Structures are given as C-alpha cells and as structure tokens.
Amino acid sequence: GPEIPRLARLDSAAAQELLCEGRAFVAPMEGLLGDRLRRWDFGYLREHLPSEQRYGVMLDEGSGKIVMSHSARNGQRQVDAAALAEAGGGGARGSSADLAFGTSDQTRMTFPQFLEEARRFRESGCKGKLPYFGIHLLWRFKPEDNGYLGNIDEAMQDDLWSIRFDRIKEWQEENMLPLVQRFYLFAGLGGTLYHCHYDLQPNLHVQLSGRKRFVLFPPDAWPHLYPFPVHHDLDRRSMVDLDAPDSAKFPTWPSARGAVVELSPGDALYIPPFWWHHVQSLTPETTSMAMWFFEFFPLSARVPYGLGPQARDLSLMRDVEELVGRHFPDAPGEEECTRSRPVKAAQVAAFMRWLRGRLAPGGGAPGRPPGELLE
C-alpha cells in the first residue's frame, strides 16, 4: 500500500509540498492548530456546549457502521429522537435489497441527550442504534463569505481563536493552501465504523481525544473499491463492505492496497481529495475535528488543489458521468445536484453500457442509444 509519512511539524516546507502534491501524511497539530483543542473530550463538551441546543446526530445503519448519503445530508432521513428513545434505540435497518449495508438516519439531540443515548447503547450490550455526534463549528458556503459560527460557548470560541489563522492566511496568500470552508467536530463511541468513501475537498482530520484507525487507499484503487455512480444516493461511497466483503460480488477487492494509520490525541492526518478512507474508533470515547478546504488553489482560478496523478482517472470518470447526465432531462425532484438522482443514475448507467458495447471490438453497427438524449 501507499507509504504515509509522519512529519515532525505541520507548519513546515515538507508539509506544504505534500499538501500541494496531493499526498497523505500525519503531523502534530500544534504547528497550525495550537493545542487548546486537545482538551475537547466528552467531559469538556458536556461542560461547554449549550445544554439546550440540539445538534446533528447520525445513527448507524444496523451494524455499527455510519453510512452518509445525499438523502441524509439533505434532511430526508430525519427521525425523531424522542420516538427513538421510547423504542429503546431500535428501528428498521435502512438498507435496500441490493446493498450489503444500510444507510444511516439522522436525528437532533442536545449533548446531554447524546450522552444518555450513548450510555443506553453501551448498557444494552450495543443493541439498537449507535449514535455519532457532529457539529459545525465554523463554516462558509462560498469563498467570499465572512462565515458563520456554531452554537458554542465563549470558552470554546476562545479555543477556536487560538488556531494559527495568521499562519494559515500566510499560506493562502502564498497559494500554498486553499481557503478553509468549514471546521466540523465529531464525537463517537468505541467500535464506531465510518464506511469507506472519498471526499472532493482536501481534509485535515485532527484527533482531539481517544484514538482512531484509518485505512487509506489512493484514488487509483477505485476499480477494486467499486464506487457507486455519481448520481446515486451513495455517491463517493464504496459498494464493498470492507468489514464483511463479498468476494463473489466484488472479486477484485483484495487487490486494493491500503495503508493503516492510527491517530492519537494531537495527530493531524491530511486526506487529499479523492483518497478513500475507512475509519474505526478504537477507544470508548473519541473526539476529532475535520478541517475541510475549498477545492481550488486560492490564487489560481479553478485549478484543483492537491489533485495528484493518482486521482486523475477517478476525477475524469466523475466528469464523464456528469457530462452524460446533463444530456438527459431532470426527472421531477432531481433538479438539485446535491440530492439523490436515481432516474438519472439509471439513464447514465444504461447509456454507458450501450457506449461500452459500441466501443468494444466487434461491437457491431451503432444503434440508437437508450433514452431520449437532448439535442
């Protein structure tokens, strides 16, 4: 698998080089992020998060695995926290017949409610729904936005302002680092699995308390990880359940060569765009923060940031699927590109099968492509 170097400093020329080249690495967080966030364990969050404020909580899909989807991200898989508690954390597994795993639901809880749900889950012998807490700390939708601050108290705000924003700005002005898009805090229980996926945005994942294990695959492992189509609800996710792989359905998955990285408190892992990662929480309680950046060099118009040679095929594949999809009219309810588009996914898949047949040796005379393509 790929070698994941460990650097002595995050604020170093070596880190800059790996960031720009789109290569994963680990370094101590202090150089850019300081060390005050390391006190953000469950006890600190209990003391400092507003006790009446409800935040997002993802629920595992039935096997301890968190599987994010477009429908969950857009609020279409919201469940009522009170009803969940009355049911003892149970509920139907959100899977479809053709998947080896389900799709996570979401709910909203205060942090004390999350702690109570976590206690109930552990005391039940891990029966029912495993909760995974998350909160937007700082974010903006567009690079020109001033940004927004999440619902946290003054002490947590002061901790955030201790981040070396001056140094980060210097790197951005040198075209070495994209603009920051958001800071997101995770809090979870031991054994939590986050399903194998890749992100389009650069991500600096910082371990604050507890330990996590990442299995990282370079982008060019995609033929062996069987990504869902771009228009599918599980876009950017692997079809393979790496915790219980089906070799009959996905025969080449063992050829995916990954690297295992374990993060301890204070470790920062840089995950470049298109790098696959499968995550497991190793300790009874973990907190971590994802620092996502916009996708382009700040001073180079529309030049993708950190897109190494290994990512080119996967990036091109996405572009081709999107290009073909634009030639089919949007089905009702599929006008928004951030939502699941099952009709368009089926149309693109049918067209690509037709095209592959025409391009294959001995493919025969061209016939009419499936569906009604726009002129």
Side-chain angles (χ1 to χ4, degrees), residues 42 186-188 207 209-212 281-288:
F42 275 35
F186 296 99
Q207 195 64 28
S209 70
R211 293 186 298 114
K212 278 185 177 178
S281 297
L282 300 177
T283 49
E285 297 175 353
T286 67
T287 57
S288 58

Side-chain angles (χ1 to χ4, degrees), residues 65-339:
K65 190 189 302 292
I66 302 297
V67 184
M68 175 58 88
S69 62
H70 282 311
S71 54
R73 188 178 291 108
N74 286 287
Q76 297 170 277
R77 297 191 64 90
Q78 286 287 324
V79 298
D80 183 73
L84 181 73
E86 290 178 6
R93 175 173 166 165
S95 61
S96 61
D98 59 338
L99 298 181
F101 48 86
T103 304
S104 294
D105 291 324
Q106 285 190 319
T107 189
R108 297 187 66 79
M109 297 180 183
T110 65
F111 194 70
Q113 287 174 331
F114 163 74
L115 293 176
E116 175 59 25
E117 186 63 19
R119 182 199 61 79
R120 184 211 56 77
F121 179 81
R122 286 187 286 215
E123 292 183 356
S124 71
C126 302
K127 296 178 181 178
K129 294 287 189 178
L130 181 152
Y132 194 53
F133 181 89
I135 170 177
H136 283 93
L137 299 166
L138 287 168
W139 73 97
R140 52 185 166 185
F141 298 104
K142 297 179 291 186
E144 57 268 26
D145 290 346
N146 286 329
Y148 305 89
L149 178 65
N151 289 299
I152 56 179
D153 75 354
E154 289 188 12
M156 293 185 69
Q157 292 179 34
D158 289 342
D159 293 338
L160 278 178
W161 305 140
S162 72
I163 292 174
R164 293 286 311 279
F165 287 106
D166 57 340
R167 187 67 170 139
I168 292 171
K169 184 178 180 181
E170 287 177 12
W171 283 20
Q172 290 166 346
E173 291 174 344
E174 295 169 358
N175 211 29
M176 291 291 184
L177 193 67
L179 297 176
V180 180
Q181 195 267 328
R182 59 181 163 142
F183 293 87
Y184 193 88
L185 176 69
F186 296 99
L189 305 181
T192 302
L193 300 166
Y194 206 104
H195 184 69
C196 185
H197 68 288
Y198 66 88
D199 298 310
L200 301 178
Q201 296 172 274
N203 175 12
L204 191 64
H205 192 98
V206 185
Q207 195 64 28
L208 304 179
S209 70
R211 293 186 298 114
K212 278 185 177 178
R213 176 184 294 130
F214 282 73
V215 183
L216 294 170
F217 300 93
D220 57 9
W222 70 264
H224 312 301
L225 293 174
Y226 300 85
F228 283 96
V230 166
H231 302 92
H232 195 279
D233 195 32
L234 294 176
D235 174 32
R236 296 187 289 105
R237 273 71 195 159
S238 170
M239 295 186 191
V240 183
D241 181 356
L242 293 181
D243 303 296
D246 185 339
S247 296
K249 184 177 288 188
F250 308 110
T252 72
W253 81 264
S255 297
R257 294 289 181 257
V260 177
V261 176
E262 291 196 5
L263 299 185
S264 298
D267 285 339
L269 168 65
Y270 176 59
I271 307 173
F274 294 95
W275 275 66
W276 300 85
H277 45 291
H278 183 75
V279 192
Q280 180 182 13
S281 297
L282 300 177
T283 49
E285 297 175 353
T286 67
T287 57
S288 58
M289 184 181 73
M291 182 179 178
W292 275 294
F293 300 85
F294 285 102
E295 300 170 34
F296 304 99
F297 279 93
L299 305 182
S300 305
R302 308 304 292 178
V303 176
Y305 181 84
L307 209 64
Q310 294 173 305
R312 289 172 184 164
D313 286 353
L314 185 54
S315 176
L316 177 61
M317 185 171 69
R318 291 189 63 86
D319 290 344
V320 169
E321 289 186 59
E322 289 283 12
L323 177 65
V324 172
R326 285 197 290 271
H327 289 277
F328 292 96
D330 292 327
E334 294 191 12
E335 297 84 2
E336 174 55 56
C337 67
T338 61
R339 293 180 178 269

